[in-house]
PDB file of all heavy atoms in Angstrom:
ATOM      1  N   VAL A 324     214.226 123.674 -35.846  1.00 77.00           N
ATOM      2  CA  VAL A 324     213.588 123.361 -37.150  1.00 77.00           C
ATOM      3  C   VAL A 324     212.566 122.225 -36.929  1.00 77.00           C
ATOM      4  O   VAL A 324     211.454 122.268 -37.442  1.00 77.00           O
ATOM      5  CB  VAL A 324     214.623 122.967 -38.198  1.00 77.00           C
ATOM      6  CG1 VAL A 324     213.946 122.472 -39.452  1.00 77.00           C
ATOM      7  CG2 VAL A 324     215.496 124.164 -38.530  1.00 77.00           C
ATOM      8  N   LEU A 325     212.951 121.227 -36.178  1.00 77.00           N
ATOM      9  CA  LEU A 325     212.054 120.138 -35.843  1.00 77.00           C
ATOM     10  C   LEU A 325     211.748 120.197 -34.332  1.00 77.00           C
ATOM     11  O   LEU A 325     212.636 120.394 -33.520  1.00 77.00           O
ATOM     12  CB  LEU A 325     212.685 118.799 -36.176  1.00 77.00           C
ATOM     13  CG  LEU A 325     213.023 118.526 -37.624  1.00 77.00           C
ATOM     14  CD1 LEU A 325     213.659 117.131 -37.778  1.00 77.00           C
ATOM     15  CD2 LEU A 325     211.823 118.644 -38.518  1.00 77.00           C
ATOM     16  N   THR A 326     210.486 120.024 -34.000  1.00 75.00           N
ATOM     17  CA  THR A 326     210.072 119.969 -32.574  1.00 75.00           C
ATOM     18  C   THR A 326     209.203 118.736 -32.353  1.00 75.00           C
ATOM     19  O   THR A 326     208.412 118.344 -33.241  1.00 75.00           O
ATOM     20  CB  THR A 326     209.250 121.220 -32.186  1.00 75.00           C
ATOM     21  OG1 THR A 326     208.119 121.366 -33.060  1.00 75.00           O
ATOM     22  CG2 THR A 326     210.125 122.454 -32.272  1.00 75.00           C
ATOM     23  N   VAL A 327     209.360 118.129 -31.182  1.00 70.00           N
ATOM     24  CA  VAL A 327     208.578 116.947 -30.819  1.00 70.00           C
ATOM     25  C   VAL A 327     207.590 117.380 -29.747  1.00 70.00           C
ATOM     26  O   VAL A 327     207.976 117.886 -28.687  1.00 70.00           O
ATOM     27  CB  VAL A 327     209.475 115.829 -30.286  1.00 70.00           C
ATOM     28  CG1 VAL A 327     208.644 114.604 -29.941  1.00 70.00           C
ATOM     29  CG2 VAL A 327     210.526 115.455 -31.329  1.00 70.00           C
ATOM     30  N   GLU A 328     206.294 117.176 -30.010  1.00 67.00           N
ATOM     31  CA  GLU A 328     205.262 117.627 -29.088  1.00 67.00           C
ATOM     32  C   GLU A 328     204.293 116.476 -28.802  1.00 67.00           C
ATOM     33  O   GLU A 328     204.193 115.536 -29.586  1.00 67.00           O
ATOM     34  CB  GLU A 328     204.477 118.794 -29.708  1.00 67.00           C
ATOM     35  CG  GLU A 328     205.333 120.031 -29.973  1.00 67.00           C
ATOM     36  CD  GLU A 328     204.529 121.120 -30.668  1.00 67.00           C
ATOM     37  OE1 GLU A 328     203.474 120.791 -31.227  1.00 67.00           O
ATOM     38  OE2 GLU A 328     204.971 122.276 -30.636  1.00 67.00           O
ATOM     39  N   LYS A 329     203.592 116.578 -27.709  1.00 67.00           N
ATOM     40  CA  LYS A 329     202.576 115.602 -27.331  1.00 67.00           C
ATOM     41  C   LYS A 329     201.332 115.822 -28.210  1.00 67.00           C
ATOM     42  O   LYS A 329     200.887 116.966 -28.413  1.00 67.00           O
ATOM     43  CB  LYS A 329     202.182 115.781 -25.866  1.00 67.00           C
ATOM     44  CG  LYS A 329     201.270 114.689 -25.325  1.00 67.00           C
ATOM     45  CD  LYS A 329     201.017 114.901 -23.843  1.00 67.00           C
ATOM     46  CE  LYS A 329     200.061 113.860 -23.297  1.00 67.00           C
ATOM     47  NZ  LYS A 329     200.636 112.537 -23.250  1.00 67.00           N
ATOM     48  N   ARG A 330     200.837 114.759 -28.785  1.00 62.00           N
ATOM     49  CA  ARG A 330     199.679 114.856 -29.670  1.00 62.00           C
ATOM     50  C   ARG A 330     198.476 115.372 -28.902  1.00 62.00           C
ATOM     51  O   ARG A 330     198.200 114.915 -27.777  1.00 62.00           O
ATOM     52  CB  ARG A 330     199.391 113.486 -30.276  1.00 62.00           C
ATOM     53  CG  ARG A 330     198.357 113.506 -31.425  1.00 62.00           C
ATOM     54  CD  ARG A 330     197.989 112.097 -31.813  1.00 62.00           C
ATOM     55  NE  ARG A 330     199.182 111.311 -32.202  1.00 62.00           N
ATOM     56  CZ  ARG A 330     199.708 111.355 -33.417  1.00 62.00           C
ATOM     57  NH1 ARG A 330     199.159 112.106 -34.348  1.00 62.00           N
ATOM     58  NH2 ARG A 330     200.766 110.617 -33.694  1.00 62.00           N
ATOM     59  N   ALA A 331     197.719 116.276 -29.469  1.00 62.00           N
ATOM     60  CA  ALA A 331     196.515 116.794 -28.848  1.00 62.00           C
ATOM     61  C   ALA A 331     195.459 115.707 -28.747  1.00 62.00           C
ATOM     62  O   ALA A 331     195.283 114.927 -29.704  1.00 62.00           O
ATOM     63  CB  ALA A 331     195.969 117.968 -29.658  1.00 62.00           C
ATOM     64  N   GLU A 332     194.800 115.613 -27.592  1.00 70.00           N
ATOM     65  CA  GLU A 332     193.809 114.569 -27.365  1.00 70.00           C
ATOM     66  C   GLU A 332     192.395 115.143 -27.421  1.00 70.00           C
ATOM     67  O   GLU A 332     192.158 116.302 -27.066  1.00 70.00           O
ATOM     68  CB  GLU A 332     194.006 113.905 -26.005  1.00 70.00           C
ATOM     69  CG  GLU A 332     195.190 113.003 -25.931  1.00 70.00           C
ATOM     70  CD  GLU A 332     195.230 112.228 -24.620  1.00 70.00           C
ATOM     71  OE1 GLU A 332     195.183 112.884 -23.569  1.00 70.00           O
ATOM     72  OE2 GLU A 332     195.289 111.006 -24.643  1.00 70.00           O
ATOM     73  N   ASP A 333     191.465 114.279 -27.829  1.00 76.00           N
ATOM     74  CA  ASP A 333     190.063 114.630 -27.768  1.00 76.00           C
ATOM     75  C   ASP A 333     189.595 114.269 -26.341  1.00 76.00           C
ATOM     76  O   ASP A 333     189.431 113.081 -26.014  1.00 76.00           O
ATOM     77  CB  ASP A 333     189.279 113.801 -28.803  1.00 76.00           C
ATOM     78  CG  ASP A 333     187.802 114.201 -28.867  1.00 76.00           C
ATOM     79  OD1 ASP A 333     187.264 114.623 -27.828  1.00 76.00           O
ATOM     80  OD2 ASP A 333     187.206 114.096 -29.949  1.00 76.00           O
ATOM     81  N   LEU A 334     189.401 115.277 -25.523  1.00 84.00           N
ATOM     82  CA  LEU A 334     189.098 115.029 -24.105  1.00 84.00           C
ATOM     83  C   LEU A 334     187.759 114.308 -23.923  1.00 84.00           C
ATOM     84  O   LEU A 334     187.644 113.420 -23.044  1.00 84.00           O
ATOM     85  CB  LEU A 334     189.088 116.376 -23.357  1.00 84.00           C
ATOM     86  CG  LEU A 334     190.384 117.167 -23.363  1.00 84.00           C
ATOM     87  CD1 LEU A 334     190.262 118.392 -22.469  1.00 84.00           C
ATOM     88  CD2 LEU A 334     191.563 116.288 -22.899  1.00 84.00           C
ATOM     89  N   ASP A 335     186.744 114.665 -24.726  1.00 89.00           N
ATOM     90  CA  ASP A 335     185.474 113.985 -24.620  1.00 89.00           C
ATOM     91  C   ASP A 335     185.587 112.514 -24.957  1.00 89.00           C
ATOM     92  O   ASP A 335     184.987 111.648 -24.336  1.00 89.00           O
ATOM     93  CB  ASP A 335     184.430 114.658 -25.518  1.00 89.00           C
ATOM     94  CG  ASP A 335     184.020 116.033 -25.008  1.00 89.00           C
ATOM     95  OD1 ASP A 335     184.158 116.261 -23.786  1.00 89.00           O
ATOM     96  OD2 ASP A 335     183.598 116.864 -25.823  1.00 89.00           O
ATOM     97  N   GLU A 336     186.386 112.211 -26.006  1.00 90.00           N
ATOM     98  CA  GLU A 336     186.575 110.817 -26.380  1.00 90.00           C
ATOM     99  C   GLU A 336     187.296 110.052 -25.263  1.00 90.00           C
ATOM    100  O   GLU A 336     186.944 108.931 -24.955  1.00 90.00           O
ATOM    101  CB  GLU A 336     187.402 110.734 -27.675  1.00 90.00           C
ATOM    102  CG  GLU A 336     187.627 109.303 -28.147  1.00 90.00           C
ATOM    103  CD  GLU A 336     188.507 109.223 -29.383  1.00 90.00           C
ATOM    104  OE1 GLU A 336     189.094 110.248 -29.774  1.00 90.00           O
ATOM    105  OE2 GLU A 336     188.603 108.131 -29.969  1.00 90.00           O
ATOM    106  N   MET A 337     188.314 110.685 -24.707  1.00 90.00           N
ATOM    107  CA  MET A 337     189.055 110.017 -23.642  1.00 90.00           C
ATOM    108  C   MET A 337     188.187 109.801 -22.415  1.00 90.00           C
ATOM    109  O   MET A 337     188.260 108.731 -21.771  1.00 90.00           O
ATOM    110  CB  MET A 337     190.269 110.852 -23.250  1.00 90.00           C
ATOM    111  CG  MET A 337     191.286 110.131 -22.383  1.00 90.00           C
ATOM    112  SD  MET A 337     191.900 108.654 -23.208  1.00 90.00           S
ATOM    113  CE  MET A 337     192.830 107.899 -21.904  1.00 90.00           C
TER     114      MET A 337
END
Side-chain angles (χ1 to χ4, degrees):
V324 172
L325 298 180
T326 56
V327 181
E328 299 176 341
K329 188 177 178 69
R330 190 188 303 275
E332 286 188 307
D333 185 330
L334 299 185
D335 289 336
E336 180 184 11
M337 192 60 188

